[in-house]
Amino acid sequence: MSRMYRANISIENQNPGRETAIAEVLMDVWGFADVVASRHGLEAEAEVSLGGGVREEEFARALTRRVWAINQGFCKVSVNMTYLEELPSEAYVFSSQHEYDAWLKTSGESRL
């Protein structure tokens, strides 16, 4: 069973000249669509599916270790995981003719 997440990654203080290699591995291995360079480093976001019993922390550690390997040294890696399948949500249903009629009177809209 897979679980869908939004993964946001921020990489700081990577070795100069390693940005392209890091971006390529993020896109090729984990499906990050855009890796953006900022003055602080690299940032990226992707929707990922964690399957096979992989936990969020395991995913984040594997990604970080791969970045370190490609970077050929330490850099700060921050991974923020948002579980997408049970997000808080609010449903709003407007099914009252009375509410519509009251709005119509005050809105200045005409009936169609």
Side-chain angles (χ1 to χ4, degrees):
M1 172 183 226
S2 66
R3 298 166 323 218
M4 291 301 297
Y5 286 84
R6 178 170 297 115
N8 296 83
I9 184 169
S10 173
I11 301 168
E12 297 178 33
N13 302 319
Q14 70 279 356
N15 288 330
R18 300 306 301 164
E19 294 86 0
T20 300
I22 292 169
E24 287 175 357
V25 82
L26 291 175
M27 292 185 288
D28 294 344
V29 175
W30 284 287
F32 288 86
D34 291 323
V35 180
V36 178
S38 71
R39 63 178 206 183
H40 299 290
L42 301 172
E43 297 177 1
E45 177 179 287
E47 287 191 12
V48 296
S49 175
L50 300 186
V54 174
R55 296 181 327 217
E56 298 89 342
E57 185 177 353
E58 291 171 326
F59 171 84
R61 283 187 189 279
L63 187 146
T64 298
R65 289 173 179 162
R66 189 71 170 268
V67 168
W68 288 342
I70 299 299
N71 188 55
Q72 299 175 341
F74 173 78
C75 57
K76 180 180 177 183
V77 180
S78 301
V79 182
N80 183 11
M81 303 291 289
T82 303
Y83 185 53
L84 297 176
E85 295 180 22
E86 292 183 22
L87 290 172
S89 65
E90 294 290 333
Y92 300 94
V93 178
F94 302 96
S95 60
S96 166
Q97 181 70 40
H98 175 72
E99 185 176 9
Y100 171 76
D101 291 339
W103 168 78
L104 199 58
K105 287 179 184 178
T106 61
S107 70
E109 296 287 326
S110 62
R111 266 185 217 252
L112 299 177

